[in-house]
Amino acid sequence: MGSEIRQLHIFFFPFMAHGHMIPTVDMAKLFGTRGVKTSIITTPANAPLLSKTIQRSNNLGIEMDLKIIKFPVEAGLPEGCENIDAVTKSGTGLDMFINFLKATAMLQEPLEQLLRECKPDCLVADMFFPWATDAAAKFRIPRLVFHGTGFFSLCTTACMTMYEPHKQVSSDSEPFVVPGLPDDIKLTRNQLPDMMTSNDETDFTKMLKASKESELKSFGVVVNSFYELEPAYADYYRNVLGRKAWHIGPLSLCNRSLEDKASRGKQASIDENECLQWLNSKIPDSVVYICFGSVASFNSDQLMEIAMGLEASGQDFIWVVRKEKKDEDANEDWLPEGFEKRIEGKGLIIRGWAPQVLILEHEAVGGFVTHCGWNSTLEGISTAGMPMVTWPMFAEQFYNEKLVTEVLKIGVSVGVQRWARLVGNFVKRDAIEKAVKEIMVGDRAGEMRSTAKALGEMARRAIEKEGSSYSDLNGLIDELRLSRNSSK
């Protein structure tokens, strides 16, 4: 009995933003289904967002728990402002975000205290915590990096940093090819993150630089993707760039029950049964779903254009609109007069948070208008496989758009040409109408839908026994066991 193998214990430390916390919790659940004990580290205000999911997992026999560390009050943030959602709602822009990043850097000491006390076998920490590699190394604990995006954007970012092709063009709108990539991918300076095109070294650019350096010293990278989706880029990242990485996604597919799918992230702003009943009344592939993620927001003029474009398209739709910071009973001046009456039965507006996975996997939904955040992009592909209208705004979203429209060929661009922080570029109703029609009833709609559905089937096979992601996760767990044994 003395030779019994001790259970692996892994800590997961997500950046405090819904787009990072949701896939990290899914990842912890996934490791838990393979018999690994998992602990998620977070702060008091974020704990309620995670606790119900953890309880449901425990009820299924998955060993998960929460480790709570105090959020630093000395960072000068309002009380309870412990995630990006709260930062953006505060309406104070970039300065507040920089303060938030500074606050997260102060979490190193409490993290080290936890590592000292619990001595886990591995720490999976977000790329926004570059100091985590050194913190874990103090206790001889391997650190895995989680970026929250796919291989394509990781490769594109690396090649942009290495070759700097944007410095060889004469204007912000002149296209250039990103050198080194398996495909000819053209971008413009307008589509790049502002920290890449600026010569100023800000706190944020320093953090990104530190993140790259800490990744190279880490045990490796876990990627929320599957090999069949972007094989050339998975190979390029590992074999050409020489990065140690494991693809273990799509992580959202670890949620099997209705409750798990409906309760990811925040509480939905609509009863999921009401939403599903509405969808049940529709024929397959007839509804377009419009959602721009948990961070981006639009002004009233843009929301008006979206409403008019959707109505003109003639398509049934579900449209998720983020609530602005205003009184609940304020007039919604972004809705055209009589709009809701005219779209009765044809359109459903969700104000706030939507049960996205439940909606996307419903057979009635046949298209997705998305900001190209990686979670949404991957969910659009893996839950049902559907064509997309791409409407990128910031972060690596313009890179993801290129993957969807040019590499996978399952989407059309709405025409946005400029990177914008938090508030999207203005798009006119005609462009919205045209793009929606193109993915729903256009000449290429059937071909795109067929390709997307095939990718969706590949995604589901990837996580099943002997699938590519299933096998990569097994390989990673084996390596972590070997690492633990060799460090003793």
Side-chain angles (χ1 to χ4, degrees):
M1 295 299 288
S3 63
E4 191 175 310
I5 298 172
R6 181 168 62 83
Q7 185 183 25
L8 271 183
H9 185 192
I10 300 180
F11 274 13
F12 293 83
F13 191 15
F15 185 63
M16 295 81 171
H18 289 295
H20 293 245
M21 289 190 288
I22 291 170
T24 303
V25 172
D26 286 345
M27 193 185 343
K29 281 170 65 175
L30 182 62
F31 274 85
T33 62
R34 304 296 175 86
V36 175
K37 181 182 178 183
T38 62
S39 299
I40 299 168
I41 305 167
T42 195
T43 63
N46 292 300
L49 301 170
L50 312 175
S51 53
K52 286 181 182 173
T53 302
I54 289 170
Q55 188 55 57
R56 281 196 304 274
S57 299
N58 289 340
N59 294 342
L60 293 170
I62 299 170
E63 203 172 339
M64 290 176 74
D65 67 2
L66 265 181
K67 304 285 186 196
I68 298 172
I69 55 179
K70 195 166 174 287
F71 196 83
V73 291
E74 57 269 36
L77 294 166
E79 191 178 345
C81 191
E82 297 181 14
N83 58 46
I84 291 298
D85 199 38
V87 169
T88 53
K89 276 182 181 168
S90 70
T92 49
L94 186 60
D95 287 345
M96 183 69 90
F97 178 68
I98 296 302
N99 280 352
F100 184 78
L101 280 180
K102 287 175 180 173
T104 62
M106 296 176 194
L107 295 171
Q108 180 169 351
E109 200 176 315
L111 172 68
E112 288 182 8
Q113 184 61 33
L114 258 186
L115 296 176
R116 186 182 292 111
E117 289 169 7
C118 304
K119 295 188 172 58
D121 299 302
C122 177
L123 170 67
V124 180
D126 199 279
M127 56 90 67
F128 279 113
F129 304 139
W131 39 265
T133 299
D134 288 340
K138 288 180 184 178
F139 308 98
R140 300 177 72 190
I141 295 167
R143 183 260 174 125
L144 286 164
V145 181
F146 182 60
H147 287 274
T149 190
F151 284 108
F152 180 86
S153 74
L154 290 173
C155 292
T156 306
T157 301
C159 288
M160 285 297 302
T161 305
M162 276 194 298
Y163 300 114
E164 300 185 323
H166 55 291
K167 293 184 176 175
Q168 311 303 317
V169 289
S170 55
S171 75
D172 289 345
S173 58
E174 183 185 338
F176 58 82
V177 174
V178 183
L181 293 178
D183 296 284
D184 268 3
I185 302 299
K186 287 183 180 174
L187 292 164
T188 67
R189 281 205 297 248
N190 279 333
Q191 295 170 319
L192 301 178
D194 54 9
M195 69 284 290
M196 186 172 277
T197 54
S198 169
N199 292 322
D200 299 333
E201 189 164 56
T202 63
D203 289 330
F204 190 61
T205 54
K206 285 176 191 169
M207 188 279 296
L208 290 177
K209 191 177 174 187
S211 179
K212 288 187 183 83
E213 290 166 1
S214 78
E215 180 187 318
L216 295 173
K217 293 191 292 181
S218 74
F219 192 77
V221 179
V222 274
V223 184
N224 182 15
S225 187
F226 59 103
Y227 184 77
E228 293 79 0
L229 181 67
E230 39 183 357
Y233 293 89
D235 290 343
Y236 188 86
Y237 192 68
R238 294 192 280 209
N239 302 333
V240 179
L241 296 175
R243 310 291 168 85
K244 206 170 175 186
W246 296 265
H247 49 79
I248 61 170
L251 293 170
S252 62
L253 294 184
C254 76
N255 297 290
R256 305 293 173 111
S257 75
L258 183 78
E259 195 175 3
D260 277 339
K261 291 170 186 174
S263 304
R264 294 172 79 234
K266 292 194 287 189
Q267 185 65 39
S269 306
I270 187 172
D271 180 74
E272 58 264 22
N273 292 318
E274 179 193 337
C275 193
L276 292 175
Q277 278 174 8
W278 188 89
L279 284 167
N280 288 340
S281 70
K282 304 297 178 183
I283 62 172
D285 296 328
S286 66
V287 176
V288 62
Y289 174 63
I290 304 98
C291 183
F292 299 99
S294 59
V295 176
S297 62
F298 293 118
N299 61 27
S300 295
D301 289 344
Q302 180 64 85
L303 292 172
M304 175 79 80
E305 291 296 305
I306 295 172
M308 297 302 287
L310 287 174
E311 188 175 5
S313 76
Q315 304 302 306
D316 290 354
F317 64 86
I318 293 180
W319 178 21
V320 183
V321 181
R322 286 190 74 228
K323 284 180 181 173
E324 293 300 312
K325 198 182 176 193
K326 59 182 181 180
D327 295 334
E328 292 294 318
D329 58 353
N331 290 328
E332 292 187 316
D333 58 357
W334 50 271
L335 276 181
E337 195 173 336
F339 180 74
E340 289 199 88
K341 188 78 180 162
R342 292 197 302 276
I343 64 157
E344 208 169 302
K346 276 193 74 67
L348 182 64
I349 298 175
I350 300 175
R351 294 163 173 84
W353 192 268
Q356 181 159 295
V357 169
L358 275 184
I359 292 169
L360 286 172
E361 72 177 8
H362 197 283
E363 65 174 7
V365 179
F368 184 12
V369 179
T370 174
H371 65 307
C372 299
W374 185 243
N375 292 326
S376 291
T377 302
L378 200 54
E379 285 162 14
I381 292 166
S382 61
T383 50
M386 61 185 61
M388 301 181 210
V389 171
T390 57
W391 189 324
M393 295 175 204
F394 54 88
E396 85 296 350
Q397 293 162 14
F398 280 93
Y399 299 168
N400 295 337
E401 176 183 57
K402 295 291 181 181
L403 174 70
V404 168
T405 59
E406 295 181 18
V407 180
L408 302 176
K409 295 181 169 57
I410 56 168
V412 298
S413 172
V414 81
V416 175
Q417 294 298 327
R418 186 181 292 274
W419 201 93
R421 192 184 295 280
L422 304 185
V423 178
N425 283 281
F426 193 78
V427 178
K428 291 185 177 177
R429 64 189 70 176
D430 295 352
I432 298 164
E433 175 193 352
K434 183 185 174 203
V436 167
K437 280 181 174 174
E438 207 170 329
I439 63 160
M440 297 301 286
V441 294
D443 293 342
R444 286 184 53 233
E447 182 189 337
M448 285 191 288
R449 186 163 289 119
S450 173
T451 304
K453 285 191 186 300
L455 287 169
E457 286 165 17
M458 289 179 205
R460 291 184 285 281
R461 283 200 300 271
I463 63 160
E464 299 300 336
K465 204 162 186 180
E466 309 309 324
S468 57
S469 291
Y470 186 97
S471 301
D472 240 25
L473 180 57
N474 276 356
L476 173 54
I477 291 170
D478 288 345
E479 283 204 48
L480 290 173
R481 285 205 179 98
L482 279 172
S483 169
R484 177 181 69 185
N485 296 339
S486 65
S487 66
K488 294 295 177 264

